[in-house]
């Protein structure tokens, strides 16, 4: 039997969203277009197996952000053509965060895809202080990091290293 | 990591909905208000821990059905006051279909609740050919059955018994 987590997700998102927005941040809900719309989120992030982009746009209207996780150039081009506001792209490097990850695209793969889309690209997958400069050089507008800051004894120091690497 | 089933749900619902509607049936999606809206379903069914009713109405508009699972008179009254089109009520009898079911309301509990709401009531929980007449007599407009027709050697015969019991 299904155990619904919807209300928990809704309440957590409704509580976090105004805090993030008050701090100048952008609040994006994963997959649940209905939750994003209801709580006043800035947008929704969709995976390839999530809610379809076109329907998300219909429900959310033009004023909200829709991001799509993409894993090869064809998906990236399709997302832009379909009206996505940004794409995720990766995994750029091998990652242990996700089960059954898509094939690694590499820095060169990121650069080649970057030349084919104009919307912002959020690089993801195995990015850390040692490789983030190369990812930015390849044309990523943003980088998503999970392991780099979670699997470390000193997250604050790691974040400082990441920022330094980006600025350099 | 989350494994999204959203696209599968969306595609299954989008395929089934027109078939059900063509046959004169009403097609209701569980919990996912966004999916219900996008595929043109007749409505959505919400549990107590699902998406909030008021937000579902905002997203779906007045023309679609919203049903709420309720398990005590207070929830039933609240659902009606909140604009639900129908309620589920139960479990009327002990049920093995659901893990951690709410307390059994019984036929008398169903009758007492029925006197407090005007919207249609779908009784659920342990209903079978042997007790369905009592459930209808207590004021249920519809009955939901799962085990009665699934845990039987001859579903067709069991359905015929249920229909006979309702008509009697």
């Amino acid at each position: 039997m299904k155990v619904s987590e919807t209300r928990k997700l809704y309440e957590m998102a409704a509580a976090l969203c105004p805090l993030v927005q008050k701090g100048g941040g952008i609040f994006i809900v994963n997959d649940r277009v209905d939750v994003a719309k209801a709580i006043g989120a800035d947008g929704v992030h969709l995976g390839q197996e999530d809610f379809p982009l076109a329907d998300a746009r219909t429900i959310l209207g033009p004023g909200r952000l829709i991001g799509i996780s993409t894993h090869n150039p064809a998906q990236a081009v399709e997302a832009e053509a379909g009206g996505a506001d940004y794409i995720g792209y990766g995994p750029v490097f091998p990652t242990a965060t996700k089960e059954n990850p898509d094939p690694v695209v590499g820095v060169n793969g990121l650069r080649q895809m970057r030349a084919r889309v104009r919307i912002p690209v959020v690089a993801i997958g195995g990015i850390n202080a040692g490789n983030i400069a190369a990812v930015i050089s390849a044309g990523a507008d943003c980088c998503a990091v999970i392991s780099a800051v979670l699997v470390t004894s000193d997250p604050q120091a790691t974040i400082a290293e990441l920022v330094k690497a980006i600025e350099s």
Side-chain angles (χ1 to χ4, degrees), chain A:
Chain A
M1 292 294 100
K2 168 175 166 270
V3 177
S4 175
E5 299 287 334
T6 298
R7 188 65 68 96
K8 276 184 209 162
L9 168 69
Y10 178 97
E11 287 173 357
M12 199 183 291
L16 281 172
C17 181
L19 298 177
V20 170
Q21 290 174 337
K22 205 195 261 178
I26 292 173
F27 192 81
I28 302 282
V29 173
N30 191 52
D31 181 37
R32 290 289 303 236
V33 178
D34 43 8
V35 173
K37 182 168 177 88
I39 66 149
D42 296 291
V44 71
H45 187 86
L46 305 173
Q48 292 292 321
E49 296 303 317
D50 284 346
F51 201 79
L53 169 56
D55 293 298
R57 181 61 75 200
T58 301
I59 291 174
L60 291 177
R64 309 231 205 168
L65 300 172
I66 302 179
I68 313 279
S69 294
T70 63
H71 312 291
N72 58 56
Q75 290 176 351
V77 167
E78 184 192 2
E80 182 172 63
D85 295 292
Y86 73 88
I87 53 169
Y89 199 69
V92 180
F93 304 106
T95 174
T97 302
K98 204 169 172 180
E99 283 174 40
N100 307 314
D102 285 87
V104 169
V105 299
V107 171
N108 283 336
L110 171 62
R111 186 180 292 110
Q112 286 161 20
M113 182 282 300
R114 168 77 278 185
R116 298 183 57 189
V117 301
R118 276 167 299 181
I119 55 177
V121 173
V122 181
I124 188 168
I127 297 171
N128 58 42
N131 59 32
I132 197 166
V135 174
I136 301 286
S137 296
D141 299 283
C142 306
C143 293
V145 290
I146 302 177
S147 315
V149 294
L150 288 185
V151 188
T152 173
S153 55
D154 188 346
Q156 206 164 356
T158 305
I159 290 168
E161 280 176 49
L162 282 164
V163 171
K164 200 174 157 192
I166 293 168
E167 291 174 343
S168 70

